[in-house]
Amino acid sequence: MMTTLDLLTQLWNWRSPAWWIALAGAGAYGAAAVRNPLSMRNMLFPGLSLVTFLIAMVSPLAGLASRYMFSAHMAQHLLLLLIVPLFVVLALPKSRTEEPLPPSIQRVFPIGWLAGVGAMWFWHIPALCTASMRSPLIFDIEQASLVAAGTAFWWPIFSPNIQHRLQMPQAVMYLFSGCLGCTLLGIYITFSPISVCPLYNSPTGSAAILHLVRDQWGITHEMDQQLGGLLMWVPACIVYLCAILARFSSWHHASDQGHADSAALVTE
Amino acid sequence: MSIESLSGSGLVEREDENRSSLLEWFSSVDHKQIGILYICTALVFLLIGGLEAVVMRIQLITPNNTFIGPRLFDQLFTMHGTTMVFLVGMPILTGFANYLVPLMIGASDVAFPRLNAFGFWLVPLGGILLHYSFLTGSAPNAGWFSYAPLSERAYTSLQGVDYWLIALLVLGIGSVSSAINLIVTIIVCRAPGMSIQRVPLFVWMMLITSVLIILAIPALNSALVLLLIDRTLGAAFFEPSRGGNSLLWQHFFWIFGHPEVYILALPAFGMISEIIPVFSRRPIYGYEFVAASTLAIAILSVGVWGHHMFAVGMSPVYNTFFSIGSLLIAIPTGIKVLNWTATLWRGSIQLTTAMCFAIAFLIQFVIGGLTGVMFAVAPIDWQLTQTYFVVAHFHYVLFGGTIFALFAGGFYWFPKMTGRMLDERLGTITFWLLVVGFNLTFFVQHFLGMMGMPRRTYTYGDHPGWHALNAISTLGAFVMSLGVLVFLWNVVRSLREGAVAGDNPWDAFTLEWATSSPPGKDNFDHVPPIKSRRPVWDMNHPDLADWKTSRTPEDRRAPHSVAKLAAACFIVSEAMFFLLLMAAFITFNHATGATSRKALEVGRSALFTFFLLSSSVTLSRAERALRHSQRRQFLGWLGITLVLGLIFLLNQAYEYSGLLHHGITISSSLFGSTFFTLTGFHGLHVLGGLVVLTAMFVLGKTDRLSARQSDAFTAVGYYWHFVDLVWIVVFSIVYLGVLT
């Protein structure tokens, strides 16, 4: 019989190409660091982005997400859409230009919002959710698009060029409406009697893992979907809330000369 | 300038006001007069609601009492709750905000003075409607949250609940209008130098409260209209026996109800954040933290309504998440308490009556907050819900918290509003009567609750200890009533013979103290320079000025159009309203979506959807023509917009008549109820848009609309585009079956 400990130790995917991607990312950052020596503090966000990326892609979480648990699948999506891109964007070296962003580019910001919120809605249309579980190609496209959409979403909020970030009241609205978008989808998934990803209803795969999830953890199919919806809703909104507070505090500390400098404090 | 000469000029103005007719108050659009009208109206209802509470406490003084019967008792607790929340709490806070916000930001009035008056006059209208129900044979008696199905026609057949519904709709519209007004005022009307990071915390908290109001009240409004449709048109949204869902009412009500707690608490926090620093002679400790924690509370509060519903038997997964969300609110609230306490720490504290009330607020609010944390844990909630422990908890928050803060604010700002000080000796008596009375009344209710005494029950058996504790509670209610009477006597006496206040009797920090008491018609002769969060302190103590030691962000606001901003706020509140109507549609057509769509002609509706969407394009053309002063093109495009909108409405009328012909009505099935409600409200909004656009057309035709007013026209345009956007969603859900 499988225990939770067995699951946590055995369900790692050692043959995933994600390892190579992580290695390439670490290498690229290391090469950049050789040219501009970095302090330990500057290693925080690159490190976090690697760790969260690997958790999402190769850890037991990814194993559970692949066919056993809808909620794990949702946690994986949240990591790829909200957490990994956030750390990647924060990891980029800060740059400063004096000119604010031209209005023509500011008008593109809503696209970031649409990408971030839309990706979540799009990939949870039941047909697409099923397709991504059946076809490895669509699965890869899905994961890549989540990271890309997440990066587009976070860019206006934490762009490495501080002058180019979305201005303050707008930034709060951008994030708060993003939270609302997640909340609506979360509520829908939580309370819907319809199965969002029907394949999790009748999972195939290791009977031992299924036994662990259904009988030992006691997570029924309904609870699984509710858990997924609530993950989408509450933790996701807390991420947005933290981002709001981060921007808010830099806004309050921004004094005349030190506008850009103090704004950077929060994110360095 | 000496204090005497300043207060002298204040007195002259006061006498002018005395001479002014009563009619001036009725027709006033001055924010100060409207603020005072709000406060006085709320005080009248406070007496009514308080009297209701005293009658209930008399009934409960002994076991098996027959002073009043169960029917009247039900009506009294319903009316007490409704009155205190909607006719006392909200109006009195709005009143203070109305009076103080423009003064604190150095403005001469609110952004929309006439809208302000409109918002106020809805309060007496709603109050009268609510109390008129007594004349119909039964006041509302289903509790202040009117849980379905008890509030349905089948179980409450008298008209009390109908009056309750309509009164709350009226009051809700007033609250939303005043909230929009405050948001626009705070964003647009600040004096030069007053950056939003420098506004007094009361202003900041009113801004957040107003945002909460425009998000939360529409949720209540949609619940109210659905219940009203159930009761008057025979639908069954909340009636399980006919397929409806009574839990949906609870969800909708608490989506409003939980933010409502913060709508009542945040302004009180704001008052405390003004009063504690002044009487500690220090700036507030951690301004940014108090401001940011307010934002966090507001955002969290919209997502945790489920903790009011632990007892209905939701899945343990929901309970866990709602618990976690609710517990999280303790963090920002704790930050606030820490900051207030840290402000007191090493301050030179002046124990004025206002300060005493503020300190009592701190202690009592913490007790209410702690029992609140207990209720966030589902198993404790299961044990204690529906007992007097709940009653004790929310009275510690709303009375021990909000009302005490209001008394603090009353003593603090009375000199500014009237030019005279309240008597401190009588104030001290009021304070002790209220503190002792309040804690006697409600502290023992914690024990009664844990012993299992159910709330909302007109009497109780003679169980050990119950009689004594209830008698103590009733005694406390009398002590509190005495305190309120002493306060009223203090007000009446001080208005006539109180000490003359002068501009700034407390040596306070914020802008309202930089003008005469009471302020003149335009508030300020000149606004002092604003370089920090305490401009009046800087003015009076130039050597110790804040801006010399700590910098705050300069004022670099972008210019805003009041019309567009107000339209945007209005659209947010409308969006919430439609969101909940859509949620109701999805809930009831989830399983049967495909079969119910058979009744609709999707192709034809798609065609008319195209007409409606084209009207957005033509309207944009009209906007552009107006900006470029091309009058003929403007009228042409606007005319086409009107025709397109009208065609859409005609099709809707045709569609309705077809459905009615086939026996599909609002009461025939849940599909009918949800379909007619959702599309009907959308149609009404199209009609409203058409009326406004027609008015614009007439103005344009008679040459009274020029490029200078193009902002106002664009604001109307926002609304029209929003209505079209709503239709796209409605069309997808109702006709195309997305999400169902």
Side-chain angles (χ1 to χ4, degrees):
Chain A
M1 210 166 73
M2 195 173 213
T3 63
T4 307
L5 189 66
D6 294 340
L7 180 97
L8 289 177
T9 49
Q10 292 169 13
L11 209 61
W12 289 81
N13 181 354
W14 298 107
R15 280 174 298 182
S16 165
W19 290 104
W20 294 108
I21 298 174
L23 203 64
Y29 204 84
V34 168
R35 270 182 284 134
N36 303 310
L38 298 168
S39 68
M40 279 304 284
R41 220 173 71 175
N42 296 29
M43 296 306 293
L44 178 67
F45 289 121
L48 281 174
S49 54
L50 272 186
V51 171
T52 47
F53 176 70
L54 289 174
I55 292 175
M57 299 303 291
V58 300
S59 76
L61 180 79
L64 286 174
S66 66
R67 56 184 70 171
Y68 305 103
M69 284 176 78
F70 174 74
S71 50
H73 159 101
M74 190 58 99
Q76 185 186 37
H77 281 193
L78 286 175
L79 282 172
L80 290 174
L81 181 75
L82 282 182
I83 308 293
V84 175
L86 173 65
F87 289 147
V88 168
V89 171
L90 289 176
L92 296 174
K94 303 281 170 292
S95 62
R96 278 180 198 129
T97 50
E98 287 312 310
E99 313 94 67
L101 210 56
S104 55
I105 299 190
Q106 282 181 8
R107 270 185 226 126
V108 183
F109 285 168
I111 296 176
W113 189 92
L114 273 181
V117 177
M120 225 26 177
W121 283 78
F122 179 76
W123 287 112
H124 291 101
I125 297 169
L128 284 170
C129 197
T130 307
S132 76
M133 286 173 73
R134 288 225 171 100
S135 145
L137 178 67
I138 296 180
F139 177 80
D140 290 341
I141 294 174
E142 180 194 46
Q143 313 298 73
S145 74
L146 286 173
V147 177
T151 311
F153 180 85
W154 286 119
W155 198 266
I157 301 298
F158 291 119
S159 159
N161 192 332
I162 289 150
Q163 289 288 346
H164 289 187
R165 291 178 181 177
L166 198 55
Q167 289 301 306
M168 187 44 194
Q170 289 89 328
V172 170
M173 281 183 254
Y174 181 96
L175 290 164
F176 182 67
S177 54
C179 163
L180 212 62
C182 274
T183 301
L184 288 179
L185 181 63
I187 289 178
Y188 181 74
I189 293 174
T190 309
F191 291 101
S192 174
I194 294 174
S195 196
V196 176
C197 283
L199 278 190
Y200 290 105
N201 267 350
S202 43
T204 53
S206 151
I209 295 177
L210 270 180
H211 174 74
L212 179 74
V213 172
R214 290 276 186 269
D215 300 328
Q216 279 180 260
W217 294 352
I219 296 178
T220 63
H221 171 64
E222 288 79 24
M223 280 169 75
D224 189 28
Q225 175 153 337
Q226 289 165 4
L227 199 58
L230 285 157
L231 281 172
M232 169 89 238
W233 178 2
V234 180
C237 274
I238 288 171
V239 173
Y240 293 122
L241 176 63
C242 292
I244 288 177
L245 292 177
R247 284 299 308 270
F248 188 84
S249 96
S250 64
W251 179 61
H252 258 288
H253 288 107
S255 62
D256 234 0
Q257 306 91 358
H259 179 73
D261 301 81
S262 50
L265 276 180
V266 187
T267 52
E268 274 177 10
Chain B
M1 225 185 298
S2 72
I3 287 178
E4 278 86 342
S5 68
L6 278 175
S7 55
S9 67
L11 276 186
V12 173
E13 271 159 16
R14 242 178 68 73
E15 273 166 26
D16 281 348
E17 272 174 33
N18 284 345
R19 259 180 266 134
S20 67
S21 61
L22 199 60
L23 186 69
E24 197 195 301
W25 283 90
F26 277 95
S27 59
S28 174
V29 293
D30 175 57
H31 76 97
K32 298 181 290 299
Q33 283 183 314
I34 291 175
I36 289 174
L37 283 171
Y38 264 116
I39 294 171
C40 293
T41 313
L43 282 178
V44 170
F45 284 114
L46 177 73
L47 292 182
I48 296 174
L51 196 67
E52 286 158 353
V54 168
V55 174
M56 283 189 283
R57 279 315 322 170
I58 294 175
Q59 161 65 18
L60 292 171
I61 196 167
T62 57
N64 304 314
N65 198 355
T66 53
F67 174 62
I68 54 171
R71 229 175 68 97
L72 183 59
F73 193 86
D74 290 355
Q75 296 173 27
L76 284 178
F77 71 66
T78 302
M79 288 297 276
H80 170 77
T82 309
T83 304
M84 287 303 189
V85 170
F86 294 100
L87 293 169
V88 179
M90 293 188 66
I92 204 164
L93 294 166
T94 312
F96 271 98
N98 242 297
Y99 195 98
L100 294 170
V101 165
L103 286 169
M104 285 178 161
I105 60 174
S108 58
D109 206 322
V110 291
F112 303 102
R114 274 173 287 196
L115 180 69
N116 202 16
F118 166 78
F120 164 71
W121 286 104
L122 288 180
V123 176
L125 175 62
I128 291 166
L129 272 173
L130 186 65
H131 287 83
Y132 188 82
S133 62
F134 275 110
L135 302 180
T136 67
S138 168
N141 57 356
W144 88 276
F145 40 62
S146 273
Y147 271 4
L150 175 62
S151 51
E152 290 282 2
R153 175 77 69 213
Y155 306 96
T156 308
S157 56
L158 288 169
Q159 283 164 317
V161 175
D162 299 317
Y163 277 96
W164 182 88
L165 291 167
I166 295 167
L168 258 55
L169 271 174
V170 167
L171 292 167
I173 292 166
S175 300
V176 171
S177 71
S178 70
I180 293 175
N181 205 346
L182 274 173
I183 293 174
V184 178
T185 305
I186 294 171
I187 292 180
V188 178
C189 304
R190 280 172 285 126
M194 180 64 87
S195 60
I196 195 98
Q197 296 98 322
R198 283 177 186 163
V199 295
L201 282 167
F202 178 73
V203 174
W204 173 254
M205 298 213 194
M206 277 318 302
L207 178 65
I208 303 289
T209 306
S210 303
V211 173
L212 269 185
I213 288 177
I214 62 171
L215 289 174
I217 296 276
L220 175 67
N221 285 350
S222 58
L224 294 173
V225 295
L226 294 184
L227 186 55
L228 199 61
I229 289 170
D230 272 6
R231 289 182 57 89
T232 53
L233 300 177
F237 289 109
F238 305 123
E239 219 174 302
S241 58
R242 289 169 56 207
N245 183 345
S246 59
L247 274 189
L248 193 70
W249 169 267
Q250 295 198 21
H251 279 296
F252 280 22
F253 188 87
W254 290 117
I255 288 175
F256 148 77
H258 196 70
E260 173 70 11
V261 175
Y262 294 96
I263 291 169
L264 294 171
L266 288 180
F269 293 173
M271 294 180 166
I272 293 299
S273 306
E274 297 304 320
I275 293 165
I276 285 186
V278 167
F279 295 119
S280 306
R281 309 308 308 150
R282 300 180 61 195
I284 184 108
Y285 178 84
Y287 175 100
E288 296 85 355
F289 282 90
V290 181
S293 61
T294 310
L295 196 64
I297 289 177
I299 292 172
L300 287 171
S301 76
V302 252
V304 297
W305 72 86
H307 68 225
H308 293 270
M309 298 169 61
F310 284 149
V312 302
M314 296 183 296
S315 137
V317 186
Y318 304 151
N319 287 355
T320 311
F321 276 79
F322 279 126
S323 268
I324 294 169
S326 311
L327 289 169
L328 280 177
I329 296 187
I331 298 172
T333 316
I335 287 176
K336 281 196 164 57
V337 173
L338 178 85
N339 282 287
W340 293 322
T341 316
T343 309
L344 290 168
W345 185 255
R346 295 201 181 147
S348 30
I349 294 172
Q350 299 170 348
L351 285 177
T352 56
T353 309
M355 186 63 162
C356 290
F357 272 108
I359 291 171
F361 161 92
L362 260 185
I363 297 165
Q364 289 162 178
F365 177 75
V366 166
I367 295 175
L370 287 176
T371 49
V373 174
M374 291 170 67
F375 274 117
V377 182
I380 297 182
D381 181 273
W382 294 331
Q383 184 66 26
L384 292 175
T385 192
Q386 284 302 328
T387 70
Y388 266 83
F389 199 88
V390 182
V391 179
H393 157 66
F394 67 72
H395 280 94
Y396 264 86
V397 174
L398 293 177
F399 197 118
T402 301
I403 299 279
F404 267 68
L406 279 165
F407 272 104
F411 275 89
Y412 180 64
W413 280 296
F414 186 87
K416 180 51 61 185
M417 294 179 178
T418 64
R420 301 220 184 233
M421 310 290 287
L422 279 171
D423 188 275
E424 283 285 311
R425 204 172 49 87
L426 287 176
T428 310
I429 296 172
T430 309
F431 170 73
W432 284 112
L433 284 173
L434 280 174
V435 168
V436 171
F438 167 76
N439 285 292
L440 277 184
T441 310
F442 293 109
F443 198 78
V444 295
Q445 292 184 1
H446 289 116
F447 302 120
L448 281 170
M450 283 193 275
M451 292 171 177
M453 179 165 168
R455 67 192 278 216
R456 299 182 159 170
T457 307
Y458 78 107
T459 190
Y460 54 92
D462 193 3
H463 308 296
W466 286 31
H467 183 189
L469 290 174
N470 272 295
I472 292 173
S473 187
T474 303
L475 175 73
F478 280 112
V479 177
M480 268 198 288
S481 312
L482 196 62
V484 172
L485 291 179
V486 174
F487 174 73
L488 290 178
W489 165 242
N490 194 350
V491 169
V492 172
R493 219 184 70 147
S494 301
L495 274 178
R496 289 215 313 253
E497 53 202 58
V500 173
D503 286 4
N504 189 0
W506 313 117
D507 192 9
F509 310 146
T510 42
L511 276 184
E512 76 271 28
W513 304 102
T515 180
S516 58
S517 306
K521 202 93 195 137
D522 293 325
N523 290 352
F524 295 94
D525 292 335
H526 76 281
V527 179
I530 300 159
K531 296 187 201 165
S532 79
R533 288 173 183 143
R534 301 195 299 166
V536 175
W537 168 269
D538 295 348
M539 182 176 74
N540 293 340
H541 308 267
D543 297 339
L544 302 168
D546 282 354
W547 53 268
K548 291 184 174 166
T549 52
S550 64
R551 302 189 63 88
T552 41
E554 289 297 326
D555 183 18
R556 51 169 107 71
R557 74 187 83 169
H560 282 286
S561 145
V562 280
K564 287 191 204 167
L565 198 56
C569 295
F570 181 58
I571 285 170
V572 168
S573 91
E574 291 278 78
M576 280 302 288
F577 180 77
F578 274 110
L579 211 57
L580 268 79
L581 292 188
M582 287 169 195
F585 186 91
I586 294 169
T587 307
F588 292 122
N589 295 281
H590 219 118
T592 56
T595 48
S596 32
R597 270 199 307 286
K598 281 191 187 131
L600 304 171
E601 287 180 50
V602 179
R604 204 187 62 215
S605 293
L607 178 67
F608 286 90
T609 300
F610 174 74
F611 282 128
L612 187 66
L613 298 186
S614 322
S615 75
S616 261
V617 178
T618 57
L619 191 71
S620 310
R621 287 304 189 84
E623 284 167 30
R624 197 154 55 166
L626 182 65
R627 267 203 305 278
H628 295 111
S629 302
Q630 298 159 325
R631 183 159 164 265
R632 280 203 37 216
Q633 281 96 321
F634 167 68
L635 290 175
W637 286 116
L638 185 54
I640 298 174
T641 310
L642 286 171
V643 171
L644 287 170
L646 200 63
I647 290 175
F648 176 81
L649 277 187
L650 287 176
N651 173 57
Q652 201 174 27
Y654 178 74
E655 184 184 32
Y656 275 21
S657 73
L659 288 171
L660 294 176
H661 190 73
H662 287 98
I664 299 175
T665 67
I666 198 161
S667 58
S668 65
S669 68
L670 279 164
F671 168 71
S673 308
T674 48
F675 173 81
F676 282 109
T677 307
L678 182 54
T679 57
F681 268 103
H682 179 266
L684 281 176
H685 281 71
V686 175
L687 188 65
L690 281 179
V691 170
V692 181
L693 288 179
T694 309
M696 289 285 172
F697 188 82
V698 172
L699 285 175
K701 192 95 185 146
T702 51
D703 246 347
R704 278 177 291 175
L705 195 67
S706 67
R708 274 191 303 126
Q709 288 108 0
S710 70
D711 267 357
F713 186 73
T714 309
V716 176
Y718 280 0
Y719 179 76
W720 187 259
H721 299 315
F722 162 74
V723 170
D724 288 2
L725 191 68
V726 169
W727 180 254
I728 296 179
V729 183
V730 170
F731 183 75
S732 317
I733 293 174
V734 175
Y735 293 86
L736 302 180
V738 176
L739 299 176
T740 52

